[in-house]
Amino acid sequence: HVQLAESGGGSVQAGGSLRLSCAVSGQTVSTLTLGWFRQAPGKEREFVGAISWIGSTTYYKDSVKGRFTISRNSAKNTVNLQMNSLKPEDTAVYYCAAKSGSNSSATSTYQYWGQGTRVTVSS
């Protein structure tokens, strides 16, 4: 079993930065992948990026490449999403998710989900 808890959401102006954190408890084996997703009102939940727990392989949604960075801290059992140069279109509830196996962008493959943390970017 894996338990996830996001934190760090808030309101910022366009061009600002936020760092989201996800506390992970339970399964942290080498095959675990941690993903970030987001969902804006009236829109589908979409993949943001993911990282493998041990190998640290990362990949990102095209629209956030160069602005967002995912990292993990194995000692603290956390995964972070550093968001820079934020845009109003980044406004959404952000979710941490986990799955067994390699990185994936498919929402349906993630087995565990946090409750989300809201990010609001104003212009």
Side-chain angles (χ1 to χ4, degrees):
H1 297 285
V2 175
Q3 298 83 45
L4 307 171
E6 307 95 334
S7 62
S11 298
V12 298
Q13 293 186 348
S17 298
L18 282 174
R19 185 175 68 183
L20 307 184
S21 294
C22 176
V24 183
S25 60
Q27 182 183 3
T28 55
V29 298
S30 62
T31 56
L32 187 67
T33 293
L34 278 299
W36 286 96
F37 295 79
R38 66 187 183 187
Q39 187 167 22
K43 300 180 68 176
E44 65 184 354
R45 188 170 298 184
E46 65 178 357
F47 173 79
V48 175
I51 187 169
S52 58
W53 189 250
I54 300 299
S56 299
T57 301
T58 57
Y59 62 103
Y60 303 91
K61 174 182 175 68
D62 287 345
S63 64
V64 309
K65 289 180 179 177
R67 299 190 298 122
F68 291 10
T69 303
I70 298 173
S71 61
R72 61 109 175 93
N73 186 326
S74 295
K76 299 181 68 173
N77 282 354
T78 59
V79 62
N80 300 315
L81 177 64
Q82 178 67 46
M83 304 186 294
N84 298 325
S85 301
L86 283 161
K87 306 174 181 179
E89 65 188 37
D90 296 318
T91 295
V93 175
Y94 283 71
Y95 297 89
C96 181
K99 67 182 294 292
S100 297
S102 60
N103 287 181
S104 174
S105 62
T107 303
S108 62
T109 67
Y110 285 79
Q111 301 166 327
Y112 305 98
W113 294 82
Q115 292 300 306
T117 184
R118 175 168 291 279
V119 171
T120 302
V121 184
S122 61
S123 60

